[in-house]
Coordinates of all heavy atoms in Angstrom, one line a residue:
M26 N 0.8 -1.2 0.0 CA 0.0 0.0 0.0 C 0.9 1.2 0.0 O 2.0 1.2 0.4 CB -1.0 0.0 1.2 CG -0.3 -0.1 2.5 SD -1.6 -0.3 3.8 CE -0.6 -1.0 5.1
L27 N 0.3 2.3 -0.5 CA 1.1 3.5 -0.7 C 0.2 4.7 -0.2 O -0.9 4.9 -0.6 CB 1.4 3.7 -2.2 CG 2.2 4.9 -2.6 CD1 3.6 4.8 -2.0 CD2 2.2 4.9 -4.1
R28 N 0.9 5.5 0.7 CA 0.2 6.7 1.2 C 0.5 7.8 0.1 O 1.6 8.0 -0.3 CB 0.9 7.1 2.5 CG 0.4 8.5 3.1 CD 1.1 8.7 4.4 NE 0.9 10.1 4.8 CZ 1.2 10.5 6.0 NH1 1.8 9.7 6.9 NH2 1.0 11.8 6.4
L29 N -0.6 8.5 -0.3 CA -0.5 9.5 -1.3 C -0.8 10.9 -0.7 O -2.0 11.1 -0.4 CB -1.4 9.2 -2.5 CG -1.2 7.9 -3.2 CD1 -2.3 7.6 -4.2 CD2 0.1 7.8 -3.9
D30 N 0.2 11.7 -0.5 CA -0.1 13.1 0.0 C 0.2 14.0 -1.2 O 1.3 14.3 -1.5 CB 0.9 13.4 1.2 CG 0.6 12.6 2.4 OD1 -0.6 12.4 2.7 OD2 1.5 12.1 3.1
I31 N -0.9 14.5 -1.8 CA -0.8 15.3 -3.0 C -1.4 16.7 -2.6 O -2.6 16.7 -2.2 CB -1.6 14.6 -4.1 CG1 -1.0 13.2 -4.4 CG2 -1.5 15.5 -5.4 CD1 -1.8 12.4 -5.4
P32 N -0.7 17.7 -2.7 CA -1.2 19.0 -2.4 C -2.5 19.3 -3.1 O -2.6 19.1 -4.3 CB -0.1 20.0 -2.9 CG 1.2 19.2 -2.8 CD 0.7 17.8 -3.2
G33 N -3.5 19.8 -2.4 CA -4.8 20.2 -2.9 C -5.8 19.0 -2.9 O -6.9 19.3 -3.3
L34 N -5.3 17.8 -2.6 CA -6.3 16.7 -2.6 C -6.4 16.2 -1.2 O -5.5 16.3 -0.3 CB -5.7 15.6 -3.5 CG -5.7 15.9 -5.0 CD1 -5.2 14.7 -5.8 CD2 -7.0 16.4 -5.5
P35 N -7.5 15.5 -0.9 CA -7.6 14.8 0.4 C -6.6 13.7 0.6 O -6.0 13.3 -0.5 CB -9.0 14.3 0.4 CG -9.4 14.1 -1.0 CD -8.6 15.2 -1.7
P36 N -6.3 13.3 1.8 CA -5.3 12.2 1.9 C -5.9 10.9 1.2 O -7.0 10.5 1.4 CB -5.3 11.9 3.4 CG -5.8 13.2 4.0 CD -6.7 13.8 3.1
L37 N -5.0 10.4 0.3 CA -5.4 9.2 -0.5 C -4.5 8.0 -0.2 O -3.4 8.2 0.3 CB -5.4 9.5 -1.9 CG -6.3 10.7 -2.4 CD1 -6.0 11.0 -3.9 CD2 -7.7 10.3 -2.2
A38 N -5.0 6.9 -0.5 CA -4.1 5.7 -0.4 C -4.3 4.8 -1.6 O -5.4 4.7 -2.1 CB -4.5 4.9 0.9
A39 N -3.3 4.2 -2.0 CA -3.4 3.2 -3.2 C -3.0 1.8 -2.6 O -2.1 1.7 -1.8 CB -2.4 3.6 -4.3
F40 N -3.7 0.8 -3.1 CA -3.5 -0.5 -2.6 C -3.3 -1.5 -3.8 O -4.0 -1.4 -4.8 CB -4.7 -1.0 -1.8 CG -5.0 -0.2 -0.6 CD1 -5.9 0.9 -0.8 CD2 -4.4 -0.4 0.6 CE1 -6.2 1.7 0.3 CE2 -4.7 0.4 1.7 CZ -5.6 1.5 1.6
N41 N -2.3 -2.3 -3.8 CA -2.1 -3.3 -4.8 C -2.6 -4.6 -4.2 O -2.1 -5.2 -3.3 CB -0.6 -3.4 -5.1 CG -0.4 -4.4 -6.2 OD1 -1.1 -5.4 -6.4 ND2 0.7 -4.2 -7.0
V42 N -3.7 -5.1 -4.8 CA -4.3 -6.4 -4.4 C -4.3 -7.3 -5.6 O -5.0 -7.1 -6.6 CB -5.7 -6.2 -3.9 CG1 -6.4 -7.5 -3.5 CG2 -5.8 -5.2 -2.8
E43 N -3.4 -8.3 -5.5 CA -3.3 -9.3 -6.6 C -3.1 -8.6 -8.0 O -3.8 -8.9 -8.9 CB -4.5 -10.2 -6.6 CG -4.6 -11.0 -5.3 CD -5.9 -11.9 -5.2 OE1 -6.7 -11.8 -6.1 OE2 -6.0 -12.6 -4.2
D44 N -2.2 -7.6 -8.0 CA -1.9 -6.9 -9.2 C -3.0 -6.0 -9.7 O -2.9 -5.5 -10.8 CB -1.4 -7.8 -10.3 CG 0.0 -8.4 -10.0 OD1 0.8 -7.7 -9.3 OD2 0.3 -9.5 -10.4
E45 N -4.0 -5.8 -8.9 CA -5.1 -4.8 -9.2 C -4.8 -3.6 -8.3 O -4.6 -3.9 -7.1 CB -6.5 -5.3 -9.1 CG -6.9 -6.3 -10.1 CD -7.1 -5.7 -11.5 OE1 -7.5 -4.5 -11.6 OE2 -6.8 -6.4 -12.5
V46 N -4.9 -2.4 -8.8 CA -4.7 -1.2 -8.0 C -6.0 -0.6 -7.6 O -6.9 -0.4 -8.5 CB -3.7 -0.2 -8.7 CG1 -3.5 1.0 -7.8 CG2 -2.4 -0.9 -9.0
Y47 N -6.2 -0.2 -6.4 CA -7.3 0.5 -5.9 C -6.9 1.7 -5.2 O -5.8 1.8 -4.5 CB -8.1 -0.4 -4.9 CG -8.6 -1.7 -5.6 CD1 -7.8 -2.9 -5.5 CD2 -9.8 -1.8 -6.3 CE1 -8.1 -4.0 -6.1 CE2 -10.1 -3.0 -6.9 CZ -9.3 -4.1 -6.8 OH -9.7 -5.2 -7.5
C48 N -7.8 2.7 -5.2 CA -7.5 4.0 -4.5 C -8.7 4.4 -3.7 O -9.8 4.3 -4.1 CB -7.2 5.1 -5.6 SG -6.8 6.7 -4.8
T49 N -8.3 4.7 -2.4 CA -9.4 5.1 -1.5 C -8.9 6.4 -0.7 O -7.8 6.8 -0.8 CB -9.7 4.0 -0.4 OG1 -8.6 4.0 0.5 CG2 -9.9 2.7 -1.1
S50 N -9.9 6.9 0.0 CA -9.5 7.9 1.1 C -8.5 7.2 2.0 O -8.7 6.0 2.3 CB -10.7 8.4 1.8 OG -10.3 9.0 3.0
N51 N -7.6 7.9 2.6 CA -6.7 7.3 3.5 C -7.1 7.5 5.0 O -6.4 7.2 5.9 CB -5.2 7.9 3.4 CG -4.2 7.0 4.0 OD1 -4.4 5.9 4.3 ND2 -3.0 7.6 4.2
L52 N -8.3 8.1 5.2 CA -8.8 8.4 6.5 C -9.9 7.5 7.0 O -10.9 7.3 6.3 CB -9.3 9.9 6.6 CG -8.3 11.0 6.3 CD1 -9.0 12.3 6.3 CD2 -7.2 10.9 7.3
C53 N -9.7 6.9 8.1 CA -10.7 6.1 8.7 C -11.9 6.9 9.0 O -11.8 8.1 9.3 CB -10.2 5.4 10.0 SG -11.4 4.3 10.8
T54 N -13.1 6.4 8.8 CA -14.4 7.1 9.0 C -14.8 7.0 10.5 O -15.8 7.7 10.8 CB -15.5 6.6 8.1 OG1 -15.7 5.2 8.3 CG2 -15.2 6.9 6.6
H55 N -14.1 6.3 11.3 CA -14.5 6.2 12.7 C -13.9 7.3 13.5 O -14.6 7.9 14.3 CB -14.1 4.8 13.3 CG -14.4 4.7 14.7 ND1 -13.4 4.4 15.7 CD2 -15.5 4.8 15.4 CE1 -13.9 4.4 16.9 NE2 -15.2 4.6 16.8
N56 N -12.7 7.5 13.3 CA -12.0 8.6 14.1 C -10.8 9.0 13.2 O -10.7 8.5 12.0 CB -11.5 8.1 15.4 CG -11.5 9.2 16.4 OD1 -11.1 10.4 16.1 ND2 -11.9 8.9 17.7
F57 N -9.8 9.8 13.7 CA -8.7 10.2 12.9 C -7.6 9.1 12.9 O -7.0 8.9 13.9 CB -8.1 11.5 13.3 CG -7.0 11.9 12.3 CD1 -7.3 12.5 11.1 CD2 -5.7 11.6 12.7 CE1 -6.3 12.8 10.2 CE2 -4.7 12.0 11.8 CZ -5.0 12.6 10.6
A58 N -7.4 8.5 11.8 CA -6.3 7.5 11.7 C -6.0 7.4 10.2 O -7.0 7.4 9.4 CB -6.7 6.1 12.3
L59 N -4.8 7.2 9.9 CA -4.4 6.9 8.5 C -4.4 5.4 8.2 O -3.7 4.7 8.9 CB -3.0 7.5 8.2 CG -2.9 9.0 8.2 CD1 -1.4 9.4 8.1 CD2 -3.7 9.7 7.2
L60 N -5.2 5.0 7.2 CA -5.3 3.6 7.0 C -4.0 3.0 6.6 O -3.8 1.8 6.8 CB -6.4 3.4 6.0 CG -7.8 3.8 6.4 CD1 -8.8 3.7 5.3 CD2 -8.3 3.0 7.7
T61 N -3.2 3.8 5.9 CA -1.9 3.2 5.5 C -1.0 2.9 6.7 O 0.1 2.3 6.5 CB -1.2 4.1 4.5 OG1 -1.1 5.4 5.0 CG2 -1.8 4.1 3.1
D62 N -1.4 3.3 7.9 CA -0.6 2.9 9.1 C -1.1 1.6 9.6 O -0.6 1.1 10.6 CB -0.7 4.0 10.2 CG 0.0 5.2 9.9 OD1 1.0 5.2 9.0 OD2 -0.3 6.3 10.4
G63 N -2.2 1.1 9.0 CA -2.8 -0.2 9.4 C -2.2 -1.4 8.7 O -1.1 -1.4 8.2
F64 N -3.1 -2.4 8.5 CA -2.6 -3.7 8.0 C -3.5 -4.1 6.8 O -4.8 -4.1 7.0 CB -2.7 -4.7 9.1 CG -2.1 -4.2 10.4 CD1 -2.8 -3.6 11.4 CD2 -0.7 -4.3 10.6 CE1 -2.2 -3.1 12.5 CE2 -0.1 -3.8 11.7 CZ -0.9 -3.2 12.7
L65 N -2.9 -4.4 5.7 CA -3.6 -4.9 4.5 C -3.6 -6.4 4.5 O -2.6 -7.0 4.5 CB -3.0 -4.3 3.3 CG -3.7 -4.6 1.9 CD1 -5.1 -4.0 1.9 CD2 -2.9 -4.2 0.8
D66 N -4.8 -7.0 4.4 CA -4.9 -8.5 4.3 C -5.9 -8.7 3.2 O -7.1 -8.5 3.3 CB -5.5 -9.0 5.7 CG -5.6 -10.5 5.6 OD1 -5.1 -11.2 4.7 OD2 -6.3 -11.1 6.5
G67 N -5.3 -9.2 2.1 CA -6.1 -9.3 0.9 C -6.7 -8.0 0.4 O -5.9 -7.1 0.3
D68 N -8.0 -7.8 0.3 CA -8.5 -6.5 -0.1 C -9.1 -5.8 1.1 O -9.9 -4.9 0.9 CB -9.6 -6.7 -1.2 CG -10.8 -7.4 -0.7 OD1 -10.8 -8.0 0.4 OD2 -11.9 -7.3 -1.4
E69 N -8.7 -6.2 2.3 CA -9.3 -5.5 3.5 C -8.1 -4.8 4.2 O -7.1 -5.3 4.5 CB -9.8 -6.6 4.5 CG -11.1 -7.3 4.0 CD -11.7 -8.3 5.0 OE1 -11.3 -8.2 6.2 OE2 -12.5 -9.1 4.5
I70 N -8.4 -3.5 4.5 CA -7.5 -2.7 5.2 C -8.0 -2.6 6.7 O -9.2 -2.2 6.9 CB -7.3 -1.3 4.6 CG1 -6.2 -0.5 5.3 CG2 -8.5 -0.5 4.4 CD1 -4.8 -1.0 5.3
E71 N -7.2 -2.9 7.6 CA -7.5 -2.8 9.0 C -7.0 -1.5 9.6 O -5.8 -1.2 9.5 CB -7.0 -4.0 9.8 CG -7.4 -3.9 11.3 CD -6.9 -5.1 12.0 OE1 -6.7 -6.2 11.5 OE2 -6.6 -5.0 13.2
C72 N -7.8 -0.7 10.2 CA -7.4 0.6 10.8 C -6.5 0.3 12.0 O -6.7 -0.6 12.8 CB -8.6 1.3 11.3 SG -8.2 2.9 12.1
P73 N -5.4 1.1 12.1 CA -4.5 0.8 13.2 C -5.0 1.2 14.6 O -4.4 0.7 15.6 CB -3.3 1.7 12.8 CG -3.8 2.8 12.1 CD -5.0 2.2 11.3
L74 N -6.1 2.0 14.7 CA -6.5 2.5 16.0 C -7.4 1.5 16.7 O -7.1 1.1 17.9 CB -7.2 3.8 15.9 CG -6.3 5.0 15.9 CD1 -7.1 6.3 16.1 CD2 -5.2 5.0 17.0
H75 N -8.5 1.1 16.1 CA -9.5 0.3 16.8 C -9.8 -1.0 16.0 O -10.8 -1.7 16.4 CB -10.8 1.1 17.1 CG -10.5 2.4 17.8 ND1 -10.7 3.6 17.1 CD2 -10.0 2.6 19.0 CE1 -10.4 4.6 18.0 NE2 -10.0 4.0 19.1
G76 N -9.1 -1.3 15.0 CA -9.3 -2.5 14.3 C -10.5 -2.6 13.3 O -10.8 -3.7 12.8
G77 N -11.1 -1.5 13.0 CA -12.2 -1.5 12.0 C -11.6 -1.8 10.7 O -10.4 -1.5 10.4
C78 N -12.4 -2.4 9.8 CA -11.9 -2.8 8.5 C -12.7 -2.3 7.4 O -13.9 -2.1 7.5 CB -11.8 -4.4 8.4 SG -10.6 -5.1 9.5
F79 N -12.1 -2.1 6.2 CA -12.8 -1.6 5.0 C -12.3 -2.4 3.9 O -11.2 -2.9 3.8 CB -12.5 -0.1 4.7 CG -12.8 0.8 5.8 CD1 -11.9 1.1 6.8 CD2 -14.1 1.4 5.8 CE1 -12.2 2.0 7.8 CE2 -14.4 2.3 6.9 CZ -13.5 2.6 7.9
S80 N -13.2 -2.6 2.9 CA -12.8 -3.2 1.6 C -12.2 -2.1 0.8 O -12.8 -1.0 0.5 CB -14.1 -3.7 0.9 OG -13.7 -4.0 -0.5
V81 N -11.0 -2.3 0.3 CA -10.3 -1.3 -0.6 C -10.9 -1.4 -2.0 O -10.7 -0.5 -2.8 CB -8.8 -1.5 -0.6 CG1 -8.2 -1.3 0.8 CG2 -8.4 -2.7 -1.3
R82 N -11.6 -2.5 -2.3 CA -12.3 -2.6 -3.6 C -13.5 -1.7 -3.7 O -13.8 -1.0 -4.6 CB -12.7 -4.0 -3.9 CG -11.6 -5.0 -4.1 CD -12.1 -6.4 -4.3 NE -11.1 -7.4 -4.1 CZ -10.3 -7.9 -5.1 NH1 -10.5 -7.5 -6.3 NH2 -9.5 -8.8 -4.8
T83 N -14.4 -1.8 -2.6 CA -15.7 -1.1 -2.6 C -15.8 0.1 -1.7 O -16.7 0.9 -1.8 CB -16.8 -2.1 -2.3 OG1 -16.6 -2.5 -0.9 CG2 -16.7 -3.3 -3.2
G84 N -14.9 0.1 -0.7 CA -14.9 1.1 0.4 C -15.8 0.8 1.5 O -15.9 1.5 2.5
A85 N -16.5 -0.4 1.4 CA -17.5 -0.8 2.4 C -16.8 -0.9 3.8 O -15.7 -1.5 3.9 CB -18.2 -2.1 2.0
A86 N -17.5 -0.5 4.8 CA -17.1 -0.7 6.2 C -17.5 -2.2 6.5 O -18.6 -2.6 6.3 CB -17.8 0.3 7.2
L87 N -16.6 -2.9 7.0 CA -16.8 -4.4 7.2 C -17.0 -4.8 8.6 O -17.6 -5.9 8.8 CB -15.6 -5.1 6.6 CG -15.3 -4.9 5.1 CD1 -14.0 -5.6 4.7 CD2 -16.5 -5.3 4.3
N88 N -16.6 -4.0 9.6 CA -16.9 -4.4 11.0 C -16.8 -3.3 11.9 O -16.4 -2.2 11.6 CB -15.9 -5.6 11.4 CG -14.5 -5.1 11.5 OD1 -14.1 -4.1 10.9 ND2 -13.7 -5.8 12.2
F89 N -17.4 -3.5 13.1 CA -17.4 -2.5 14.2 C -16.0 -2.1 14.5 O -15.1 -3.0 14.6 CB -18.1 -3.1 15.4 CG -18.4 -2.2 16.5 CD1 -19.4 -1.3 16.5 CD2 -17.5 -2.1 17.6 CE1 -19.6 -0.4 17.5 CE2 -17.7 -1.2 18.6 CZ -18.7 -0.4 18.6
P90 N -15.7 -0.8 14.8 CA -16.7 0.2 15.0 C -16.9 1.1 13.8 O -17.6 2.1 13.9 CB -16.0 1.1 16.1 CG -14.5 1.0 15.8 CD -14.4 -0.5 15.3
C91 N -16.5 0.6 12.7 CA -16.7 1.4 11.4 C -18.0 1.1 10.8 O -18.4 -0.1 10.6 CB -15.5 1.1 10.4 SG -13.9 1.5 11.1
E92 N -18.8 2.1 10.5 CA -20.1 1.9 9.9 C -20.2 2.7 8.5 O -21.0 2.4 7.7 CB -21.2 2.4 10.8 CG -21.2 1.6 12.1 CD -22.3 2.1 13.1 OE1 -22.7 3.2 13.0 OE2 -22.6 1.3 14.0
T93 N -19.4 3.8 8.4 CA -19.5 4.6 7.2 C -18.4 4.2 6.2 O -17.2 4.0 6.7 CB -19.3 6.1 7.6 OG1 -20.3 6.4 8.6 CG2 -19.4 7.0 6.4
P94 N -18.7 4.0 5.0 CA -17.7 3.5 4.0 C -16.7 4.6 3.8 O -16.9 5.8 4.0 CB -18.5 3.2 2.8 CG -19.8 4.0 2.9 CD -20.1 4.1 4.4
I95 N -15.5 4.2 3.3 CA -14.5 5.2 2.8 C -14.8 5.4 1.4 O -15.3 4.6 0.6 CB -13.1 4.7 3.1 CG1 -12.9 3.3 2.5 CG2 -12.7 4.8 4.6 CD1 -11.4 2.8 2.6
R96 N -14.4 6.6 0.9 CA -14.5 6.9 -0.5 C -13.5 6.1 -1.4 O -12.4 5.9 -0.9 CB -14.3 8.4 -0.8 CG -15.5 9.2 -0.4 CD -15.4 10.6 -1.0 NE -15.5 10.5 -2.5 CZ -15.6 11.5 -3.3 NH1 -15.5 12.8 -2.8 NH2 -15.7 11.4 -4.6
T97 N -14.0 5.7 -2.5 CA -13.1 5.1 -3.5 C -13.0 6.0 -4.7 O -13.9 6.8 -5.0 CB -13.6 3.7 -3.9 OG1 -14.8 3.8 -4.5 CG2 -13.7 2.8 -2.7
Y98 N -11.9 5.8 -5.4 CA -11.6 6.7 -6.6 C -11.1 5.7 -7.7 O -10.3 4.9 -7.5 CB -10.5 7.7 -6.3 CG -10.9 8.6 -5.2 CD1 -10.6 8.3 -3.9 CD2 -11.5 9.8 -5.4 CE1 -10.9 9.1 -2.8 CE2 -11.8 10.7 -4.4 CZ -11.5 10.3 -3.1 OH -11.8 11.2 -2.1
P99 N -11.7 6.0 -8.9 CA -11.2 5.2 -10.1 C -9.7 5.5 -10.3 O -9.2 6.6 -10.2 CB -12.0 5.7 -11.3 CG -13.2 6.4 -10.6 CD -12.7 6.9 -9.3
V100 N -8.9 4.4 -10.5 CA -7.5 4.6 -10.7 C -7.0 3.7 -11.8 O -7.5 2.5 -12.0 CB -6.7 4.3 -9.4 CG1 -7.0 2.9 -8.9 CG2 -5.2 4.5 -9.5
T101 N -6.1 4.1 -12.6 CA -5.5 3.4 -13.6 C -4.0 3.4 -13.4 O -3.4 4.5 -13.2 CB -5.8 3.9 -15.0 OG1 -7.2 4.0 -15.2 CG2 -5.2 3.1 -16.1
A102 N -3.3 2.2 -13.5 CA -1.9 2.2 -13.3 C -1.3 2.0 -14.7 O -1.7 1.1 -15.5 CB -1.5 1.0 -12.4
I103 N -0.4 2.9 -15.1 CA 0.3 2.7 -16.3 C 1.8 2.8 -16.0 O 2.3 3.8 -15.6 CB -0.1 3.8 -17.3 CG1 -1.6 3.7 -17.6 CG2 0.8 3.7 -18.6 CD1 -2.1 4.8 -18.6
G104 N 2.5 1.7 -16.1 CA 3.9 1.6 -15.7 C 3.9 1.8 -14.2 O 3.2 1.2 -13.5
E105 N 4.8 2.8 -13.8 CA 4.9 3.1 -12.4 C 4.0 4.3 -12.0 O 4.1 4.8 -10.9 CB 6.4 3.3 -12.0 CG 7.2 2.1 -12.2 CD 8.6 2.3 -11.7 OE1 9.0 3.4 -11.3 OE2 9.4 1.3 -11.7
D106 N 3.2 4.8 -12.9 CA 2.4 6.0 -12.7 C 1.0 5.5 -12.4 O 0.4 4.6 -13.0 CB 2.4 6.9 -13.9 CG 3.8 7.5 -14.1 OD1 4.5 7.7 -13.2 OD2 4.1 7.7 -15.3
L107 N 0.3 6.3 -11.4 CA -1.1 6.1 -11.1 C -1.9 7.3 -11.6 O -1.5 8.4 -11.3 CB -1.3 5.9 -9.6 CG -0.6 4.7 -9.0 CD1 -0.8 4.7 -7.5 CD2 -1.1 3.4 -9.6
Y108 N -3.0 7.1 -12.3 CA -3.9 8.1 -12.7 C -5.2 8.0 -11.9 O -5.9 7.0 -12.1 CB -4.1 8.0 -14.2 CG -2.8 8.3 -15.0 CD1 -1.9 7.3 -15.3 CD2 -2.4 9.6 -15.4 CE1 -0.7 7.5 -15.9 CE2 -1.3 9.8 -16.0 CZ -0.4 8.8 -16.3 OH 0.8 9.0 -17.0
I109 N -5.4 8.9 -11.1 CA -6.6 8.8 -10.2 C -7.6 9.9 -10.5 O -7.2 11.1 -10.7 CB -6.1 9.0 -8.7 CG1 -5.1 8.0 -8.3 CG2 -7.3 9.0 -7.8 CD1 -4.3 8.3 -7.1
E110 N -8.8 9.5 -10.7 CA -9.9 10.4 -11.0 C -10.5 11.0 -9.7 O -11.2 10.2 -9.0 CB -11.0 9.7 -11.8 CG -10.5 9.2 -13.2 CD -11.6 8.5 -13.9 OE1 -12.8 9.0 -13.8 OE2 -11.3 7.5 -14.6
V111 N -10.2 12.2 -9.5 CA -10.7 12.9 -8.2 C -11.5 14.1 -8.7 O -11.1 14.9 -9.5 CB -9.5 13.4 -7.4 CG1 -10.1 14.1 -6.1 CG2 -8.7 12.2 -7.0
E112 N -12.7 14.2 -8.2 CA -13.6 15.4 -8.5 C -13.0 16.7 -8.0 O -12.5 16.7 -7.0 CB -15.0 15.2 -7.9 CG -15.7 13.9 -8.5 CD -17.0 13.6 -7.7 OE1 -17.4 14.5 -6.9 OE2 -17.5 12.6 -7.9
Ligands
LIG227 S1 -10.2 5.2 14.2 FE1 -10.3 3.6 12.7 S2 -11.4 2.1 13.8 FE2 -11.4 3.7 15.1

């Protein structure tokens, strides 16, 4: 996983899951924590603070205490570059 701090954009994270790249918000929706400080297991990112999990594919909150999904962003990987669609 990769923390993306891009000026002018919200904190983003990119995840490589079985050679597919996904991009999400890097902020847990339960409290303030960077998901890239957590643990990636398959397509599930576990928050480092209280253990809530999200799907990096869909953004869905998967377990307590997380109930609100994280945002996901369309991303294309070309070579070593990532092209992320952010409104
Ligand atoms: S801050 Fe992420 S689960 Fe609580």
Side-chain angles (χ1 to χ4, degrees):
M26 58 187 158
L27 182 63
R28 175 178 170 173
L29 301 172
D30 293 320
I31 302 168
L34 296 181
L37 300 174
F40 303 92
N41 183 332
V42 179
E43 298 174 355
D44 290 331
E45 289 289 329
V46 178
Y47 301 92
C48 182
T49 73
S50 165
N51 197 18
L52 297 178
C53 183
T54 57
H55 175 239
N56 209 324
F57 182 82
L59 293 175
L60 296 174
T61 49
D62 290 337
F64 311 95
L65 184 65
D66 182 10
D68 69 343
E69 296 183 14
I70 183 69
E71 180 181 331
C72 178
L74 276 192
H75 308 112
C78 292
F79 301 90
S80 166
V81 301
R82 294 179 195 265
T83 67
L87 301 175
N88 65 341
F89 185 82
C91 300
E92 297 178 340
T93 303
I95 53 174
R96 285 198 64 177
T97 61
Y98 300 88
V100 58
T101 303
I103 300 177
E105 294 185 355
D106 296 326
L107 296 178
Y108 296 87
I109 302 165
E110 295 179 37
V111 179
E112 297 170 10

